[in-house]
Amino acid sequence: MCICINCRYVKKCSIYKLIEQQHSIVAHNKDCEFIPTQAIITINILSKNAYRDWDVVECLSFIEEPGKWLNSY
Ligand code: SF4
């Protein structure tokens, strides 16, 4: 699971915007000026159709704020 959903910066993070784009989700975070430090992304290939699941699994900028993603939009 992507750790970004519980991160204080999810609403304005440039890396999370990339994750949304890779999931073909319309990017909600228009103001994505925040550049995190050492975000590590894993990409799992889930099918022959090359569906890929992108997740941030580590990030030095992460500050826990449970449910931030749900409360952001
Ligand atoms: S965990 Fe890192 S990459 Fe994800 S929203 Fe927070 S700062 Fe951005």
Side-chain angles (χ1 to χ4, degrees):
M1 182 192 329
C2 186
I3 65 173
C4 299
I5 61 173
N6 292 319
C7 176
R8 172 179 295 178
Y9 300 113
V10 68
K11 192 172 180 179
K12 61 182 181 180
C13 179
S14 58
I15 293 296
Y16 187 69
K17 183 176 181 180
L18 172 68
I19 297 292
E20 283 188 319
Q21 290 169 340
Q22 295 306 318
H23 285 118
S24 299
I25 299 171
V26 175
H28 292 93
N29 49 346
K30 306 273 188 255
D31 300 322
C32 54
E33 73 282 357
F34 182 76
I35 299 172
T37 302
Q38 295 186 21
I40 298 174
I41 299 171
T42 62
I43 305 169
N44 293 299
I45 299 172
L46 301 174
S47 72
K48 288 182 180 178
N49 296 331
Y51 175 76
R52 294 175 174 86
D53 187 28
W54 292 53
D55 292 315
V56 174
V57 294
E58 291 185 40
C59 177
L60 291 182
S61 298
F62 176 81
I63 296 179
E64 187 172 18
E65 195 167 325
K68 180 66 176 179
W69 179 78
L70 290 173
N71 299 325
S72 296
Y73 307 110

